Structures are given as structure tokens and as C-alpha cells.
Amino acid sequence: MTTELLPDNIAALKAYSSAKSEKLSGTTWLNANESPYSKAYNVSASNLNRYPDPQPPAVIEAYARYSELQPEQVLMTRGADEGIELLMRTYCQSGVDSIALFTPTYGMYKVSADTHNIGINELSQAQLQQASASELSELVGEAKLVFICNPNNPTGALISVDKIAELAQRLAKRAIVVVDEAYIEFCYQHSAAQLIKTNANVVVLRTLSKAFALAGLRTGFTLAQQDTLAPLRKVIAPYPVATVIADIAEQAVSSANIISMRRQVSILNTLKAQLVDWLQSSAAISQVLTGEGNFVTLQLRDKAAIGLAYERGLVMRPFTLFGEDNWLRISIGNEQELNEVKAWLDSLTSPALTTKEP
Ligand SMILES: *Cc1c(COP(=O)(O)O)cnc(C)c1O
């Protein structure tokens, strides 16, 4: 046995159950906030005898243009997830430092912190919403990194750029505010990216996995001032971006593709409004968290509804939130996929299933 060789923090890890790690069988996948739009990309697989550019300039320049920053302020990573981990490995000392986060939120902040034996100051989304920036700057305590998922997965909640700016100013030289903007394309006017120009301690995480419809590509970006990024460039693996990935990413962030991404976002936002309507008028649902992002999170009156969805091949993401295990997150798919959600919803309240009288 080699398990006794494990450090305590690693031995204590539970396998992270991502949306895709459970072996579910289904026909309609609305559990991982993926885009329903897929498109073909051209790859040239020659020159693979050579190492790639550590940071492919064409992609970096195009993404800098898109985010209205300088190329030196953009670091390309293997998904936003690598950015999360890289920030912790770079800015936090194992066994000494801590991060702050606001639950319920994206699970990878905790996974990365636990993996690297970094402490967690767990605050709540309610505190993030209700406390002032000055109160928050006290609440985060000694945390080196303060993770704000904006809009928040899985609640969709948003906090204002002004509040992020004030928090960053109060934490200057004390902590870095990391704004995870995985879903920002669905409400782009709320991006905190421009704060980078005036705040050395603001980092913004982005991904091509959601609105850009490239979850399979594993590409994200970490945005920050040049001096803030410099240490990350020392810690990141030497050739993190494979040549073929760079090729596809370059096409994905072209101006033509950004236009088509924006069109898809507007269609998905419209479909979401329709879904929210259906959910709010369903007697099977007790609460709908209407926020931003390509997903809606709701509370079921009866958790058994999740099993009934699986029976129809409809896979959505169950959650335990606020101590209750009857929450469900539905990703915004295409019209046909959402019609299957509607059919499931209707079946939950149809007389055939609700006649319980003798
Ligand atoms: C999906 C998601 C990510 C992960 O993005 P990748 O680029 O696929 O690693 C990061 N943060 C949040 C909040 C997400 O929902």
C-alpha cells in the first residue's frame, strides 16, 4: 500500500464530482452549462515535432482586443480551472496562507485549496450581497485571494463592479480580488476587466468553455496587470498550450466568431427567459433563482422529480444548497432540449401522477 505515503491533506480529498464525472446515461445533457452550439474548426496537425509557443501571440492579441486590455495583461491557461489553481500555487504558501470564498459557489476553489493545503475562509453569498465593501474587507481576514464568482455559479447572483472596485481598493497590498467571469458573456456590461487598468490586485478569470461553446478545448484566460501576472508565468507549466489548441482558439476569438458568439448569447438569454417563465408557473417548483448566466437554479417541491427526469434521459445537475438537497441547476440548451424540460415539468403536475386519493 502506498496510501500511508500521502500527506494528510491529500488523503482527506474526496473525488471531485464534476458534472461529467458521474457515469450517467442520458440523451439530453443540461448539467454542465455547456453551449448547445457546436461548430467545426480546421486544424493543421503538421509541425508537431516542434514545441508550441508558450503563449500563442495571435490568440493573446485577439483576446486582449476582445477584453479591451493589453496583450501583456493576458495569460492563456488550460481552462479557467488552471488559472484558479495557478493563482493559489503562486500567491499562497501551503500550510500557511488562506483564500476567502462565498458559498454556495463554484466547487473548484475549495478543491484547489484543499489540494495545496491552503486554508479556506468560508463566507456566504448573503454576506457578499449584504455587507458593505468595508465590512467585506474585514470579513476576508488574512485571505491572500478573495474569490468572487460573478455571476455566481450556481445561484446566478451578481455583484456590482463598483463594489468589487471598492473592495479591491480596501484590500490593496493585502489581498488579490479574483473575479471569476466564466459566465460574463451572458451579461457583459457587468465585467470587472476594466478595473485591471487601475488596480494591481484585481485578477479576472475567463473561459472559452461557456458562451464560446468550447468546453472540450480546455482554454481559459487569466487577466491582470503585467506585474501581477509575472509570477504566474514562472509557475505555469512551460508549454501549457498545445499547438492544435492554439490553432482552434485563434479561430474562436476571431472577430467574426465573437459576433456569432454574441448572437448565440442573445438567443440563449431569450430561451432562458422562457424557461424561467415555465419554472415560475410550475406548481412542482418552490423557488427559482433568477440570475445571470446560461443556467437556472431552482428548488423542487419533491426531489423525486430528478429521478423522473433521468427516466426521460434528461440530465440536469442536482445540488445541495442552503442545507437542502432538492435543488437543481438546468443549463440553457437549445429550443428542443428546453421543450423536453417543459414536457418533464408538465408531467410533474399532470393529474395522472398526482392522484393519490384512494
Ligand atoms: C465552468 C466554470 C469554470 C471552468 O472553466 P474551464 O475553463 O472549463 O476550466 C470556472 N469557473 C466557473 C464559475 C465555472 O462555472
Side-chain angles (χ1 to χ4, degrees):
M1 286 295 276
T2 53
T3 47
E4 54 268 26
L5 301 177
L6 291 172
D8 292 345
N9 64 306
I10 301 296
L13 290 177
K14 294 199 200 75
Y16 177 64
S17 93
S18 66
K20 277 295 174 69
S21 58
E22 290 131 63
K23 287 276 169 289
L24 298 165
S25 61
T27 47
T28 303
W29 295 90
L30 299 177
N31 66 335
N33 296 346
E34 295 150 336
S35 171
Y37 298 99
S38 71
K39 95 172 226 186
Y41 289 91
N42 301 317
V43 283
S44 97
S46 55
N47 293 332
L48 291 180
N49 57 319
R50 301 296 176 192
Y51 280 106
D53 264 313
Q55 290 286 305
V59 181
I60 298 295
E61 276 157 33
Y63 201 84
R65 214 173 308 122
Y66 165 64
S67 46
E68 296 176 68
L69 293 169
Q70 297 305 310
E72 313 80 70
Q73 298 171 324
V74 177
L75 177 71
M76 184 174 175
T77 58
R78 203 181 51 208
D81 282 351
E82 188 185 28
I84 293 167
E85 185 173 53
L86 199 54
L87 282 161
M88 293 192 202
R89 289 205 289 140
T90 305
Y91 280 101
C92 297
Q93 188 181 347
S94 181
V96 175
D97 289 328
S98 60
I99 62 161
L101 46 73
F102 302 91
T103 58
T105 193
Y106 186 52
M108 284 307 293
Y109 313 137
K110 175 174 164 50
V111 172
S112 286
D114 288 347
T115 305
H116 296 287
N117 200 19
I118 291 162
I120 296 174
N121 177 3
E122 183 178 336
L123 302 166
S124 71
Q125 280 289 314
Q127 286 173 305
L128 180 62
Q129 291 294 332
Q130 288 152 25
S132 67
S134 139
E135 289 162 339
L136 286 170
S137 72
E138 299 302 319
L139 286 167
V140 300
E142 302 283 288
K144 280 270 191 78
L145 302 172
V146 178
F147 282 88
I148 297 178
C149 187
N150 208 42
N152 186 48
N153 176 10
T155 62
L158 198 62
I159 76 157
S160 73
V161 175
D162 288 348
K163 192 162 173 179
I164 296 171
E166 191 184 338
L167 179 60
Q169 274 145 28
R170 288 181 181 274
L171 291 175
K173 301 201 164 70
R174 243 177 79 196
I176 293 176
V177 177
V178 182
V179 189
D180 184 341
E181 295 191 341
Y183 300 98
I184 203 66
E185 282 81 11
F186 296 95
C187 54
Y188 202 71
Q189 71 277 20
H190 296 286
S191 174
Q194 298 315 300
L195 297 180
I196 288 170
K197 291 176 173 157
T198 47
N199 295 273
N201 66 332
V202 170
V203 172
V204 170
L205 296 170
R206 295 281 186 79
T207 180
L208 296 188
S209 297
K210 309 288 162 56
F212 280 90
L214 280 169
L217 194 67
R218 310 305 305 124
T219 294
F221 298 91
T222 300
L223 313 177
Q225 283 187 10
Q226 193 171 4
D227 290 349
T228 308
L229 281 187
L232 273 69
R233 296 185 192 279
K234 298 182 196 166
V235 173
I236 197 170
Y239 300 100
V241 181
T243 306
V244 289
I245 305 296
D247 248 28
I248 297 171
E250 185 179 339
Q251 298 166 56
V253 296
S254 70
S255 44
N257 207 57
I258 286 170
I259 291 170
S260 99
M261 177 276 288
R262 289 190 176 125
R263 190 166 45 229
Q264 292 168 1
V265 160
S266 109
I267 295 169
L268 291 172
N269 280 342
T270 305
L271 288 172
K272 175 180 174 173
Q274 168 74 266
L275 176 65
V276 166
D277 258 13
W278 291 340
L279 293 169
Q280 284 175 333
S281 52
S282 168
I285 307 248
S286 54
Q287 220 185 131
V288 182
L289 304 180
T290 55
E292 305 297 330
N294 65 336
F295 56 86
V296 185
T297 300
L298 55 94
Q299 189 172 30
L300 293 157
R301 290 202 192 280
D302 183 354
K303 203 185 134 190
I306 300 175
L308 297 173
Y310 286 141
E311 284 171 21
R312 298 171 155 260
L314 181 56
V315 185
M316 300 169 286
R317 180 90 192 258
F319 274 97
T320 294
L321 296 183
F322 318 112
E324 293 183 293
D325 66 356
N326 55 348
W327 290 88
L328 193 62
R329 190 191 66 197
I330 308 178
S331 307
I332 307 305
N334 62 28
E335 199 164 356
Q336 181 210 323
E337 291 167 326
L338 295 183
N339 282 334
E340 288 175 39
V341 175
K342 175 78 159 72
W344 163 72
L345 275 177
D346 290 347
S347 77
L348 296 176
T349 49
S350 76
L353 282 173
T354 50
T355 44
K356 285 223 175 99
E357 292 96 291

